[in-house]
Each structure stands twice: as C-alpha cells, then as structure tokens.
Amino acid sequence: MLQTAIQARHVQATPALWSAGQPRSSRGRIFETKVTVEAGATIFEEGAPAEYFYKLVTGSIRLVKILSDGHRQICDFHLPGDLVGFANADDHDFSAEAIQPCVLIRYRRKDVDTLIKSDAGFACELQTLTAKGLSSAYAHMVRLCHRSAYDRLARFLLSMADRTQSADGWFELPMSRCDIADYLGLAHETVSRVFTQLKKAGVIIEPTLNRIKLIDQDALEDQLEAA
Amino acid sequence: MLQTAIQARHVQATPALWSAGQPRSSRGRIFETKVTVEAGATIFEEGAPAEYFYKLVTGSIRLVKILSDGHRQICDFHLPGDLVGFANADDHDFSAEAIQPCVLIRYRRKDVDTLIKSDAGFACELQTLTAKGLSSAYAHMVRLCHRSAYDRLARFLLSMADRTQSADGWFELPMSRCDIADYLGLAHETVSRVFTQLKKAGVIIEPTLNRIKLIDQDALEDQLEAA
DNA sequence: CGGCACGTTGAAGGATCTCAAGCTGAGTGG
DNA sequence: CCACTCAGCTTGAGATCCTTCAACGTGCCG
C-alpha cells in the first residue's frame, strides 16, 4: 500500500502561489498551507470527511472512485491551476491520488465562508475556478457520450494537447493507459488498440511511451466534426 | 421551430424566491429579474454570448448540445433550486430548453463580481450551488461509465427518485424517453427495452407514461452494488 | 379519419468487452 | 553482463451487448 506522505508547512513568505503575492490571511490567521506529496500518494480518500480542499500548483492528480463491482473509475484529471476536492458533500465522493509529485495549496473547508466574506477577490476566484471545473466536467460528458472508442480517445488527446502542449506541439501524458481507460469508460485493451490505430494512421506520433505529438491537429478536429 | 417566449419583469415585491425575502438589490439597483418561459422554449442558445445566468424556481430544464454529426446530447437536467447557465466561458456551451413551463430568477453575468463583493450571503450561496452542480456532474459521469444500459437507467431512476419523489414514493419523469437516451448515451430503443425489462421484473411500476414508483428501492440499490 | 409524435418490439450486424497469451522496459540480484 | 521478475502495454479470438433499421402500436389533435 502506498502510504500518503504529505509534508505541510504554513506559507509564511512564499512567492505568489495564489492570486496575491502574500499568503491569504486575516487578523493574523493564516488560511493557506503549502503541501507537497510524492507520486502515487493519496491526497484524500473517498468517504473521508472533506476537511480540506486544494489548489494544485504543480504536478497532476486523478480523481478516483472504486465501484462496488471492483471497477475503478476516474472522474477527472487535475492539472496545475485546478481546484481539487471542492465537492458539495461533507464527505469526499472520490479519492484524489497524485500521479506525479505535487505541490498544492491547502484550505480548510470550514474557513470558506470566512474567506469569502473577508476577501472578495478570493470569493471571485474561487467562484471562477469552480465554474471552470463544472465546464470541464460537461466537456468530459460530451466525450463520454460519443459512442466510438476512437472518438473518445481522439477528443481526449485533443483536450490534453490544448491543456498541456508546448509551443512545438509535443506533450507528455502523465497518466497510464489504464488511467485513460478508466477515465473514458473503456477497457484498457481497447485504449491500447486505438492508440496503435492512431499511430498507424499517422494521426499521432509517440516515439517513447506517453510522449506525444498530434501530426495534424486541425485535420483531426475536422475529422471529428465531420463524423 | 419553437419560438422562445420569455416574459420578464423586475422582481419588486415577490415572496422569497432566493434566499432572502427581498429581491437582491444594492444602492437602488435591481439585480434579480423573474422570468417565465413556456414548455419547449429555449432559454439560451448554444454559442450565444452568456449574458445571463439563472436560478430555476419551478419547472425543469434540459441542457442540450448538438454534435457535429447531428446527434443530440443532454448534459444535465435541472430541477428547482439548481443554478442554470453558469459556465466559465463567455459563450454558452449548451442550449437550455424548458421541458416544462418554468419560472426562473435571472442575473446578469457581469453583475456577478459586484454581487459577490457587496453581498457575502449571495457569494456563499452561489459558491454552494456551483459546487453542487459540479458534484452532480461527477455523479453523472459515474453513471455514464457504467457499461450496461440496465445499470445506467436504473441508477438514473434512483437519482431522479431521490431528487423528486414524494412521500409515498411516486415520482414523475418530466422528460421523454428520447431525452433520457440522449442523457445516458444510449439509443432510445435501448432505453425503451430496459424500461419494459424493469417493469416485467417488477422493479418499477408505471401505470401511466412517466409516472413511476420504485417497488423496492433498497433491493435495487443492493443489486447495483453487488453487480 | 388521417396525420403525427412518441413509444415499443423484432432481427441482423457490428463494436467493444472479456479472457488469454505474448511483448517491452525497468529494476534487481547473481 | 546477463537472467529474472514484474508491471504495464500490445495483440488475438470469441462472446456479448448495444445500435441500427424497420415495422407496428398508441394517444392526441385537427
């Protein structure tokens, strides 16, 4: 079992990690805590009381739910800038697992109301980030409702490219084929098959595992449009 | 073509529709507008500038996206109390269509920052509602990732029962079989087949179309757990 | 009565899942 | 340096479930 190794320290004089240059505080109270976790660590567990929520600074995270039949489902991948663990419920509906080493800013959920009331800038940003999360959740539903495995994977790659690709068009998938399968609602064998199909068709190149470039992004988008 | 027939009037002296008994206002400005739409009307259109967002008071709404291949997808059903049209983007990603006659409270998006800053109670409630939307979006993903049509529909019915059933266990589905199919990523024929399967198995009864009672909700939940 | 929208049912075909086996690369220990 | 192991990835073959196409039923409304 991977043991969670969370190192936390209060942010006293760090450079701008949130919107402001100064750590969020009020009347001497510190509301932000910087947290570091290693790859594979569990940040919070499904079913546990939702004491904290986080903003991801570096690294990547998967939101996992284990279904009663033992299947694993991934509901979201979080990248830097995303809000993590801000669900409605008192308990977490999902586990959050670090795919890579991560740095996060941690907030106490019960401070939310205080923070919103004392800091309108925080309130606005929190609102914007939550709405962004909702918007990306809807985008994922659109992917999931596409019948064909090819469509789902192609659209997933396009969105990952949008989120993470560098100027030369290359990007790195932090997650495994299994993670992708559990995210797209496919068997991992199917994901693998579609990957080779995409490579054979010259749609993508992948010289080493998970290092990817879309050969003709526009053509791929058009193809998905037309289909 | 169904024409949108939106009747709007400023809320001057209505009973409590939002959290407070008084319409939201600040320095003499009115921020809330009550809006009435008839069944089938489009409240806002995919691609249009997102000038307003809404809180649904009565009625039901579907969030629709037309895919490039002509397929229609429904990303969400909204019931009273839900926030509608609060996406991140400047333009709406989806159309919102009234399934039943609806009453909504309308807000101007560009007033959001002002409202958050001037009214902490509003800010907190907005935040809570958005998080609730995110949470229900994740719940829907879990449904969508279930392979079998039976599972998807059964879980959908359970969630609709949770949201809308009265004390005696009966509830009314406001949407058509086609709507459900487009929501669950299934063919409408498949939805129809599973409905008859559920009825023959004695899991549900449906004396008139869309008026439903779950015979043994716990047993159904257990069955889905076990599967 | 006819038209229409919606729902149901049947049959055939196809896409994905499951099970099973082989492959690759990294890490380990002799 | 090589053999071994293990996890993750790839590939193959058959079975299953859903989709598609098509026909029919039902209720509503002019």
Side-chain angles (χ1 to χ4, degrees), chain B residues 144-178:
Chain B
L144 281 177
C145 275
H146 274 86
R147 306 82 193 5
S148 88
Y150 183 95
D151 259 39
R152 291 194 204 177
L153 186 56
R155 281 170 200 276
F156 171 69
L157 290 177
L158 278 172
S159 90
M160 286 303 292
D162 267 353
R163 289 168 81 185
T164 67
Q165 79 184 348
S166 55
D168 57 3
W170 286 95
F171 61 100
E172 192 102 22
L173 288 181
M175 67 293 283
S176 69
R177 302 285 203 251
C178 274

PDB file of all heavy atoms in Angstrom, chain B residues 144-178:
ATOM      1  N   LEU B 144     -22.468   7.300 -16.500  1.00  0.00           N
ATOM      2  CA  LEU B 144     -22.112   7.135 -17.913  1.00  0.00           C
ATOM      3  C   LEU B 144     -21.038   6.080 -18.112  1.00  0.00           C
ATOM      4  O   LEU B 144     -20.966   5.450 -19.158  1.00  0.00           O
ATOM      5  CB  LEU B 144     -21.626   8.464 -18.498  1.00  0.00           C
ATOM      6  CG  LEU B 144     -22.699   9.462 -18.880  1.00  0.00           C
ATOM      7  CD1 LEU B 144     -22.065  10.742 -19.377  1.00  0.00           C
ATOM      8  CD2 LEU B 144     -23.594   8.883 -19.957  1.00  0.00           C
ATOM      9  N   CYS B 145     -20.182   5.912 -17.127  1.00  0.00           N
ATOM     10  CA  CYS B 145     -19.089   4.967 -17.299  1.00  0.00           C
ATOM     11  C   CYS B 145     -19.528   3.537 -17.036  1.00  0.00           C
ATOM     12  O   CYS B 145     -18.770   2.610 -17.266  1.00  0.00           O
ATOM     13  CB  CYS B 145     -17.909   5.343 -16.421  1.00  0.00           C
ATOM     14  SG  CYS B 145     -16.860   6.570 -17.217  1.00  0.00           S
ATOM     15  N   HIS B 146     -20.731   3.372 -16.545  1.00  0.00           N
ATOM     16  CA  HIS B 146     -21.226   2.009 -16.385  1.00  0.00           C
ATOM     17  C   HIS B 146     -21.574   1.443 -17.741  1.00  0.00           C
ATOM     18  O   HIS B 146     -22.333   2.032 -18.496  1.00  0.00           O
ATOM     19  CB  HIS B 146     -22.440   1.973 -15.465  1.00  0.00           C
ATOM     20  CG  HIS B 146     -22.059   1.891 -14.036  1.00  0.00           C
ATOM     21  ND1 HIS B 146     -21.780   2.995 -13.282  1.00  0.00           N
ATOM     22  CD2 HIS B 146     -21.840   0.815 -13.242  1.00  0.00           C
ATOM     23  CE1 HIS B 146     -21.428   2.602 -12.069  1.00  0.00           C
ATOM     24  NE2 HIS B 146     -21.451   1.298 -12.023  1.00  0.00           N
ATOM     25  N   ARG B 147     -21.010   0.284 -18.009  1.00  0.00           N
ATOM     26  CA  ARG B 147     -21.166  -0.303 -19.315  1.00  0.00           C
ATOM     27  C   ARG B 147     -22.619  -0.586 -19.657  1.00  0.00           C
ATOM     28  O   ARG B 147     -23.099  -0.191 -20.703  1.00  0.00           O
ATOM     29  CB  ARG B 147     -20.387  -1.618 -19.413  1.00  0.00           C
ATOM     30  CG  ARG B 147     -18.926  -1.594 -19.070  1.00  0.00           C
ATOM     31  CD  ARG B 147     -18.698  -1.685 -17.590  1.00  0.00           C
ATOM     32  NE  ARG B 147     -17.349  -1.381 -17.141  1.00  0.00           N
ATOM     33  CZ  ARG B 147     -16.356  -0.954 -17.846  1.00  0.00           C
ATOM     34  NH1 ARG B 147     -16.503  -0.767 -19.120  1.00  0.00           N
ATOM     35  NH2 ARG B 147     -15.183  -0.714 -17.329  1.00  0.00           N
ATOM     36  N   SER B 148     -23.316  -1.286 -18.793  1.00  0.00           N
ATOM     37  CA  SER B 148     -24.597  -1.822 -19.219  1.00  0.00           C
ATOM     38  C   SER B 148     -25.705  -0.772 -19.180  1.00  0.00           C
ATOM     39  O   SER B 148     -25.749   0.105 -18.319  1.00  0.00           O
ATOM     40  CB  SER B 148     -24.980  -3.010 -18.343  1.00  0.00           C
ATOM     41  OG  SER B 148     -25.670  -2.582 -17.204  1.00  0.00           O
ATOM     42  N   ALA B 149     -26.590  -0.890 -20.148  1.00  0.00           N
ATOM     43  CA  ALA B 149     -27.723   0.019 -20.253  1.00  0.00           C
ATOM     44  C   ALA B 149     -28.621  -0.108 -19.029  1.00  0.00           C
ATOM     45  O   ALA B 149     -29.156   0.888 -18.526  1.00  0.00           O
ATOM     46  CB  ALA B 149     -28.513  -0.281 -21.519  1.00  0.00           C
ATOM     47  N   TYR B 150     -28.746  -1.310 -18.540  1.00  0.00           N
ATOM     48  CA  TYR B 150     -29.574  -1.553 -17.356  1.00  0.00           C
ATOM     49  C   TYR B 150     -29.062  -0.737 -16.176  1.00  0.00           C
ATOM     50  O   TYR B 150     -29.820  -0.034 -15.502  1.00  0.00           O
ATOM     51  CB  TYR B 150     -29.551  -3.047 -17.024  1.00  0.00           C
ATOM     52  CG  TYR B 150     -30.436  -3.449 -15.866  1.00  0.00           C
ATOM     53  CD1 TYR B 150     -31.727  -3.919 -16.090  1.00  0.00           C
ATOM     54  CD2 TYR B 150     -29.981  -3.366 -14.569  1.00  0.00           C
ATOM     55  CE1 TYR B 150     -32.546  -4.286 -15.031  1.00  0.00           C
ATOM     56  CE2 TYR B 150     -30.781  -3.724 -13.499  1.00  0.00           C
ATOM     57  CZ  TYR B 150     -32.062  -4.186 -13.730  1.00  0.00           C
ATOM     58  OH  TYR B 150     -32.864  -4.542 -12.681  1.00  0.00           O
ATOM     59  N   ASP B 151     -27.772  -0.833 -15.933  1.00  0.00           N
ATOM     60  CA  ASP B 151     -27.157  -0.076 -14.843  1.00  0.00           C
ATOM     61  C   ASP B 151     -27.382   1.419 -14.985  1.00  0.00           C
ATOM     62  O   ASP B 151     -27.742   2.101 -14.028  1.00  0.00           O
ATOM     63  CB  ASP B 151     -25.641  -0.331 -14.849  1.00  0.00           C
ATOM     64  CG  ASP B 151     -25.254  -1.329 -13.789  1.00  0.00           C
ATOM     65  OD1 ASP B 151     -26.010  -2.298 -13.594  1.00  0.00           O
ATOM     66  OD2 ASP B 151     -24.201  -1.122 -13.166  1.00  0.00           O
ATOM     67  N   ARG B 152     -27.154   1.914 -16.176  1.00  0.00           N
ATOM     68  CA  ARG B 152     -27.276   3.360 -16.363  1.00  0.00           C
ATOM     69  C   ARG B 152     -28.682   3.835 -16.085  1.00  0.00           C
ATOM     70  O   ARG B 152     -28.897   4.818 -15.369  1.00  0.00           O
ATOM     71  CB  ARG B 152     -26.912   3.728 -17.815  1.00  0.00           C
ATOM     72  CG  ARG B 152     -25.461   3.541 -18.127  1.00  0.00           C
ATOM     73  CD  ARG B 152     -25.105   4.226 -19.423  1.00  0.00           C
ATOM     74  NE  ARG B 152     -23.915   3.604 -20.010  1.00  0.00           N
ATOM     75  CZ  ARG B 152     -23.401   3.952 -21.167  1.00  0.00           C
ATOM     76  NH1 ARG B 152     -23.960   4.899 -21.882  1.00  0.00           N
ATOM     77  NH2 ARG B 152     -22.318   3.354 -21.628  1.00  0.00           N
ATOM     78  N   LEU B 153     -29.658   3.106 -16.634  1.00  0.00           N
ATOM     79  CA  LEU B 153     -31.031   3.553 -16.453  1.00  0.00           C
ATOM     80  C   LEU B 153     -31.471   3.383 -15.001  1.00  0.00           C
ATOM     81  O   LEU B 153     -32.106   4.276 -14.424  1.00  0.00           O
ATOM     82  CB  LEU B 153     -31.964   2.783 -17.398  1.00  0.00           C
ATOM     83  CG  LEU B 153     -33.400   3.278 -17.392  1.00  0.00           C
ATOM     84  CD1 LEU B 153     -33.473   4.763 -17.710  1.00  0.00           C
ATOM     85  CD2 LEU B 153     -34.243   2.495 -18.390  1.00  0.00           C
ATOM     86  N   ALA B 154     -31.117   2.258 -14.399  1.00  0.00           N
ATOM     87  CA  ALA B 154     -31.512   2.024 -13.012  1.00  0.00           C
ATOM     88  C   ALA B 154     -30.938   3.113 -12.111  1.00  0.00           C
ATOM     89  O   ALA B 154     -31.638   3.666 -11.257  1.00  0.00           O
ATOM     90  CB  ALA B 154     -31.038   0.643 -12.559  1.00  0.00           C
ATOM     91  N   ARG B 155     -29.680   3.460 -12.316  1.00  0.00           N
ATOM     92  CA  ARG B 155     -29.064   4.494 -11.489  1.00  0.00           C
ATOM     93  C   ARG B 155     -29.704   5.859 -11.752  1.00  0.00           C
ATOM     94  O   ARG B 155     -29.856   6.672 -10.839  1.00  0.00           O
ATOM     95  CB  ARG B 155     -27.564   4.570 -11.772  1.00  0.00           C
ATOM     96  CG  ARG B 155     -26.791   3.487 -11.076  1.00  0.00           C
ATOM     97  CD  ARG B 155     -25.352   3.403 -11.529  1.00  0.00           C
ATOM     98  NE  ARG B 155     -24.820   2.106 -11.202  1.00  0.00           N
ATOM     99  CZ  ARG B 155     -24.308   1.769 -10.019  1.00  0.00           C
ATOM    100  NH1 ARG B 155     -24.262   2.675  -9.061  1.00  0.00           N
ATOM    101  NH2 ARG B 155     -23.862   0.560  -9.790  1.00  0.00           N
ATOM    102  N   PHE B 156     -30.063   6.076 -12.993  1.00  0.00           N
ATOM    103  CA  PHE B 156     -30.745   7.329 -13.312  1.00  0.00           C
ATOM    104  C   PHE B 156     -32.078   7.416 -12.580  1.00  0.00           C
ATOM    105  O   PHE B 156     -32.400   8.441 -11.969  1.00  0.00           O
ATOM    106  CB  PHE B 156     -30.954   7.437 -14.825  1.00  0.00           C
ATOM    107  CG  PHE B 156     -31.832   8.569 -15.238  1.00  0.00           C
ATOM    108  CD1 PHE B 156     -31.409   9.883 -15.090  1.00  0.00           C
ATOM    109  CD2 PHE B 156     -33.092   8.336 -15.765  1.00  0.00           C
ATOM    110  CE1 PHE B 156     -32.229  10.938 -15.460  1.00  0.00           C
ATOM    111  CE2 PHE B 156     -33.914   9.378 -16.140  1.00  0.00           C
ATOM    112  CZ  PHE B 156     -33.481  10.684 -15.991  1.00  0.00           C
ATOM    113  N   LEU B 157     -32.824   6.342 -12.609  1.00  0.00           N
ATOM    114  CA  LEU B 157     -34.128   6.346 -11.935  1.00  0.00           C
ATOM    115  C   LEU B 157     -33.962   6.531 -10.435  1.00  0.00           C
ATOM    116  O   LEU B 157     -34.719   7.275  -9.801  1.00  0.00           O
ATOM    117  CB  LEU B 157     -34.884   5.043 -12.235  1.00  0.00           C
ATOM    118  CG  LEU B 157     -35.379   4.910 -13.669  1.00  0.00           C
ATOM    119  CD1 LEU B 157     -36.045   3.557 -13.891  1.00  0.00           C
ATOM    120  CD2 LEU B 157     -36.342   6.039 -14.022  1.00  0.00           C
ATOM    121  N   LEU B 158     -32.959   5.884  -9.868  1.00  0.00           N
ATOM    122  CA  LEU B 158     -32.703   6.069  -8.440  1.00  0.00           C
ATOM    123  C   LEU B 158     -32.410   7.530  -8.124  1.00  0.00           C
ATOM    124  O   LEU B 158     -32.914   8.084  -7.145  1.00  0.00           O
ATOM    125  CB  LEU B 158     -31.522   5.200  -7.996  1.00  0.00           C
ATOM    126  CG  LEU B 158     -31.839   3.739  -7.687  1.00  0.00           C
ATOM    127  CD1 LEU B 158     -30.558   2.959  -7.441  1.00  0.00           C
ATOM    128  CD2 LEU B 158     -32.771   3.625  -6.498  1.00  0.00           C
ATOM    129  N   SER B 159     -31.627   8.169  -8.977  1.00  0.00           N
ATOM    130  CA  SER B 159     -31.270   9.549  -8.666  1.00  0.00           C
ATOM    131  C   SER B 159     -32.464  10.479  -8.871  1.00  0.00           C
ATOM    132  O   SER B 159     -32.667  11.425  -8.112  1.00  0.00           O
ATOM    133  CB  SER B 159     -30.072  10.001  -9.505  1.00  0.00           C
ATOM    134  OG  SER B 159     -30.480  10.577 -10.715  1.00  0.00           O
ATOM    135  N   MET B 160     -33.282  10.188  -9.875  1.00  0.00           N
ATOM    136  CA  MET B 160     -34.483  11.002 -10.063  1.00  0.00           C
ATOM    137  C   MET B 160     -35.448  10.791  -8.904  1.00  0.00           C
ATOM    138  O   MET B 160     -36.114  11.736  -8.457  1.00  0.00           O
ATOM    139  CB  MET B 160     -35.174  10.656 -11.386  1.00  0.00           C
ATOM    140  CG  MET B 160     -34.456  11.177 -12.611  1.00  0.00           C
ATOM    141  SD  MET B 160     -34.198  12.976 -12.608  1.00  0.00           S
ATOM    142  CE  MET B 160     -35.881  13.573 -12.782  1.00  0.00           C
ATOM    143  N   ALA B 161     -35.526   9.571  -8.411  1.00  0.00           N
ATOM    144  CA  ALA B 161     -36.373   9.309  -7.252  1.00  0.00           C
ATOM    145  C   ALA B 161     -35.886  10.119  -6.055  1.00  0.00           C
ATOM    146  O   ALA B 161     -36.668  10.780  -5.364  1.00  0.00           O
ATOM    147  CB  ALA B 161     -36.369   7.815  -6.928  1.00  0.00           C
ATOM    148  N   ASP B 162     -34.581  10.088  -5.842  1.00  0.00           N
ATOM    149  CA  ASP B 162     -34.010  10.862  -4.740  1.00  0.00           C
ATOM    150  C   ASP B 162     -34.356  12.338  -4.846  1.00  0.00           C
ATOM    151  O   ASP B 162     -34.648  12.993  -3.852  1.00  0.00           O
ATOM    152  CB  ASP B 162     -32.476  10.728  -4.753  1.00  0.00           C
ATOM    153  CG  ASP B 162     -32.010   9.598  -3.848  1.00  0.00           C
ATOM    154  OD1 ASP B 162     -32.863   9.032  -3.131  1.00  0.00           O
ATOM    155  OD2 ASP B 162     -30.818   9.288  -3.874  1.00  0.00           O
ATOM    156  N   ARG B 163     -34.314  12.843  -6.066  1.00  0.00           N
ATOM    157  CA  ARG B 163     -34.488  14.276  -6.236  1.00  0.00           C
ATOM    158  C   ARG B 163     -35.947  14.696  -6.206  1.00  0.00           C
ATOM    159  O   ARG B 163     -36.256  15.824  -5.813  1.00  0.00           O
ATOM    160  CB  ARG B 163     -33.867  14.741  -7.564  1.00  0.00           C
ATOM    161  CG  ARG B 163     -32.352  14.703  -7.577  1.00  0.00           C
ATOM    162  CD  ARG B 163     -31.792  14.888  -8.973  1.00  0.00           C
ATOM    163  NE  ARG B 163     -31.741  16.283  -9.402  1.00  0.00           N
ATOM    164  CZ  ARG B 163     -31.374  16.664 -10.630  1.00  0.00           C
ATOM    165  NH1 ARG B 163     -31.029  15.770 -11.526  1.00  0.00           N
ATOM    166  NH2 ARG B 163     -31.338  17.940 -10.958  1.00  0.00           N
ATOM    167  N   THR B 164     -36.826  13.820  -6.674  1.00  0.00           N
ATOM    168  CA  THR B 164     -38.181  14.315  -6.909  1.00  0.00           C
ATOM    169  C   THR B 164     -39.307  13.506  -6.275  1.00  0.00           C
ATOM    170  O   THR B 164     -40.452  13.940  -6.329  1.00  0.00           O
ATOM    171  CB  THR B 164     -38.481  14.373  -8.432  1.00  0.00           C
ATOM    172  OG1 THR B 164     -38.512  13.031  -8.936  1.00  0.00           O
ATOM    173  CG2 THR B 164     -37.417  15.150  -9.171  1.00  0.00           C
ATOM    174  N   GLN B 165     -39.022  12.346  -5.690  1.00  0.00           N
ATOM    175  CA  GLN B 165     -40.158  11.539  -5.260  1.00  0.00           C
ATOM    176  C   GLN B 165     -40.864  12.149  -4.060  1.00  0.00           C
ATOM    177  O   GLN B 165     -40.237  12.790  -3.214  1.00  0.00           O
ATOM    178  CB  GLN B 165     -39.729  10.100  -4.978  1.00  0.00           C
ATOM    179  CG  GLN B 165     -39.053   9.884  -3.643  1.00  0.00           C
ATOM    180  CD  GLN B 165     -38.574   8.451  -3.506  1.00  0.00           C
ATOM    181  OE1 GLN B 165     -38.920   7.572  -4.278  1.00  0.00           O
ATOM    182  NE2 GLN B 165     -37.770   8.211  -2.501  1.00  0.00           N
ATOM    183  N   SER B 166     -42.156  11.924  -4.014  1.00  0.00           N
ATOM    184  CA  SER B 166     -42.936  12.401  -2.883  1.00  0.00           C
ATOM    185  C   SER B 166     -42.897  11.353  -1.778  1.00  0.00           C
ATOM    186  O   SER B 166     -42.287  10.293  -1.930  1.00  0.00           O
ATOM    187  CB  SER B 166     -44.381  12.656  -3.321  1.00  0.00           C
ATOM    188  OG  SER B 166     -44.899  11.484  -3.906  1.00  0.00           O
ATOM    189  N   ALA B 167     -43.575  11.652  -0.688  1.00  0.00           N
ATOM    190  CA  ALA B 167     -43.501  10.789   0.493  1.00  0.00           C
ATOM    191  C   ALA B 167     -43.963   9.364   0.201  1.00  0.00           C
ATOM    192  O   ALA B 167     -43.462   8.403   0.775  1.00  0.00           O
ATOM    193  CB  ALA B 167     -44.348  11.391   1.619  1.00  0.00           C
ATOM    194  N   ASP B 168     -44.930   9.213  -0.711  1.00  0.00           N
ATOM    195  CA  ASP B 168     -45.450   7.879  -0.982  1.00  0.00           C
ATOM    196  C   ASP B 168     -44.620   7.122  -2.021  1.00  0.00           C
ATOM    197  O   ASP B 168     -44.977   6.027  -2.433  1.00  0.00           O
ATOM    198  CB  ASP B 168     -46.910   7.960  -1.439  1.00  0.00           C
ATOM    199  CG  ASP B 168     -47.072   8.854  -2.662  1.00  0.00           C
ATOM    200  OD1 ASP B 168     -46.045   9.345  -3.164  1.00  0.00           O
ATOM    201  OD2 ASP B 168     -48.209   9.043  -3.105  1.00  0.00           O
ATOM    202  N   GLY B 169     -43.516   7.718  -2.459  1.00  0.00           N
ATOM    203  CA  GLY B 169     -42.601   7.001  -3.329  1.00  0.00           C
ATOM    204  C   GLY B 169     -42.844   7.193  -4.822  1.00  0.00           C
ATOM    205  O   GLY B 169     -42.082   6.709  -5.647  1.00  0.00           O
ATOM    206  N   TRP B 170     -43.909   7.892  -5.165  1.00  0.00           N
ATOM    207  CA  TRP B 170     -44.184   8.132  -6.580  1.00  0.00           C
ATOM    208  C   TRP B 170     -43.418   9.346  -7.074  1.00  0.00           C
ATOM    209  O   TRP B 170     -43.183  10.282  -6.336  1.00  0.00           O
ATOM    210  CB  TRP B 170     -45.682   8.373  -6.794  1.00  0.00           C
ATOM    211  CG  TRP B 170     -46.491   7.126  -6.686  1.00  0.00           C
ATOM    212  CD1 TRP B 170     -47.136   6.675  -5.568  1.00  0.00           C
ATOM    213  CD2 TRP B 170     -46.737   6.173  -7.708  1.00  0.00           C
ATOM    214  NE1 TRP B 170     -47.765   5.502  -5.831  1.00  0.00           N
ATOM    215  CE2 TRP B 170     -47.544   5.154  -7.138  1.00  0.00           C
ATOM    216  CE3 TRP B 170     -46.363   6.052  -9.050  1.00  0.00           C
ATOM    217  CZ2 TRP B 170     -47.979   4.048  -7.864  1.00  0.00           C
ATOM    218  CZ3 TRP B 170     -46.793   4.953  -9.775  1.00  0.00           C
ATOM    219  CH2 TRP B 170     -47.589   3.961  -9.183  1.00  0.00           C
ATOM    220  N   PHE B 171     -43.041   9.295  -8.332  1.00  0.00           N
ATOM    221  CA  PHE B 171     -42.479  10.496  -8.950  1.00  0.00           C
ATOM    222  C   PHE B 171     -42.775  10.504 -10.436  1.00  0.00           C
ATOM    223  O   PHE B 171     -43.121   9.482 -11.027  1.00  0.00           O
ATOM    224  CB  PHE B 171     -40.977  10.627  -8.689  1.00  0.00           C
ATOM    225  CG  PHE B 171     -40.139   9.505  -9.235  1.00  0.00           C
ATOM    226  CD1 PHE B 171     -39.461   9.649 -10.427  1.00  0.00           C
ATOM    227  CD2 PHE B 171     -40.044   8.310  -8.544  1.00  0.00           C
ATOM    228  CE1 PHE B 171     -38.692   8.609 -10.936  1.00  0.00           C
ATOM    229  CE2 PHE B 171     -39.272   7.262  -9.040  1.00  0.00           C
ATOM    230  CZ  PHE B 171     -38.591   7.410 -10.245  1.00  0.00           C
ATOM    231  N   GLU B 172     -42.628  11.688 -11.000  1.00  0.00           N
ATOM    232  CA  GLU B 172     -42.982  11.919 -12.397  1.00  0.00           C
ATOM    233  C   GLU B 172     -41.701  12.272 -13.151  1.00  0.00           C
ATOM    234  O   GLU B 172     -40.958  13.152 -12.722  1.00  0.00           O
ATOM    235  CB  GLU B 172     -43.957  13.091 -12.471  1.00  0.00           C
ATOM    236  CG  GLU B 172     -44.634  13.263 -13.794  1.00  0.00           C
ATOM    237  CD  GLU B 172     -46.069  12.722 -13.748  1.00  0.00           C
ATOM    238  OE1 GLU B 172     -46.642  12.623 -12.635  1.00  0.00           O
ATOM    239  OE2 GLU B 172     -46.605  12.408 -14.811  1.00  0.00           O
ATOM    240  N   LEU B 173     -41.441  11.575 -14.221  1.00  0.00           N
ATOM    241  CA  LEU B 173     -40.303  11.953 -15.056  1.00  0.00           C
ATOM    242  C   LEU B 173     -40.766  13.041 -16.011  1.00  0.00           C
ATOM    243  O   LEU B 173     -41.653  12.794 -16.836  1.00  0.00           O
ATOM    244  CB  LEU B 173     -39.810  10.750 -15.868  1.00  0.00           C
ATOM    245  CG  LEU B 173     -39.076   9.648 -15.114  1.00  0.00           C
ATOM    246  CD1 LEU B 173     -38.647   8.570 -16.086  1.00  0.00           C
ATOM    247  CD2 LEU B 173     -37.880  10.203 -14.370  1.00  0.00           C
ATOM    248  N   PRO B 174     -40.194  14.232 -15.935  1.00  0.00           N
ATOM    249  CA  PRO B 174     -40.666  15.281 -16.841  1.00  0.00           C
ATOM    250  C   PRO B 174     -40.196  15.076 -18.278  1.00  0.00           C
ATOM    251  O   PRO B 174     -40.788  15.637 -19.196  1.00  0.00           O
ATOM    252  CB  PRO B 174     -40.070  16.556 -16.235  1.00  0.00           C
ATOM    253  CG  PRO B 174     -38.914  16.112 -15.423  1.00  0.00           C
ATOM    254  CD  PRO B 174     -39.217  14.717 -14.960  1.00  0.00           C
ATOM    255  N   MET B 175     -39.164  14.268 -18.473  1.00  0.00           N
ATOM    256  CA  MET B 175     -38.561  14.185 -19.819  1.00  0.00           C
ATOM    257  C   MET B 175     -38.981  12.925 -20.568  1.00  0.00           C
ATOM    258  O   MET B 175     -39.449  11.963 -19.973  1.00  0.00           O
ATOM    259  CB  MET B 175     -37.036  14.265 -19.703  1.00  0.00           C
ATOM    260  CG  MET B 175     -36.368  13.087 -19.031  1.00  0.00           C
ATOM    261  SD  MET B 175     -36.726  12.905 -17.272  1.00  0.00           S
ATOM    262  CE  MET B 175     -35.660  14.179 -16.584  1.00  0.00           C
ATOM    263  N   SER B 176     -38.833  12.982 -21.867  1.00  0.00           N
ATOM    264  CA  SER B 176     -39.230  11.868 -22.726  1.00  0.00           C
ATOM    265  C   SER B 176     -38.166  10.771 -22.729  1.00  0.00           C
ATOM    266  O   SER B 176     -37.055  10.958 -22.245  1.00  0.00           O
ATOM    267  CB  SER B 176     -39.425  12.368 -24.153  1.00  0.00           C
ATOM    268  OG  SER B 176     -38.178  12.732 -24.703  1.00  0.00           O
ATOM    269  N   ARG B 177     -38.520   9.626 -23.318  1.00  0.00           N
ATOM    270  CA  ARG B 177     -37.554   8.539 -23.463  1.00  0.00           C
ATOM    271  C   ARG B 177     -36.346   8.986 -24.277  1.00  0.00           C
ATOM    272  O   ARG B 177     -35.210   8.604 -23.994  1.00  0.00           O
ATOM    273  CB  ARG B 177     -38.206   7.343 -24.159  1.00  0.00           C
ATOM    274  CG  ARG B 177     -39.421   6.786 -23.466  1.00  0.00           C
ATOM    275  CD  ARG B 177     -39.040   5.993 -22.228  1.00  0.00           C
ATOM    276  NE  ARG B 177     -40.058   5.041 -21.844  1.00  0.00           N
ATOM    277  CZ  ARG B 177     -40.826   5.156 -20.774  1.00  0.00           C
ATOM    278  NH1 ARG B 177     -40.733   6.203 -19.985  1.00  0.00           N
ATOM    279  NH2 ARG B 177     -41.703   4.212 -20.481  1.00  0.00           N
ATOM    280  N   CYS B 178     -36.598   9.789 -25.293  1.00  0.00           N
ATOM    281  CA  CYS B 178     -35.501  10.288 -26.128  1.00  0.00           C
ATOM    282  C   CYS B 178     -34.545  11.138 -25.314  1.00  0.00           C
ATOM    283  O   CYS B 178     -33.315  11.021 -25.443  1.00  0.00           O
ATOM    284  CB  CYS B 178     -36.036  11.112 -27.297  1.00  0.00           C
ATOM    285  SG  CYS B 178     -36.470  10.124 -28.717  1.00  0.00           S
TER     286      CYS B 178
END
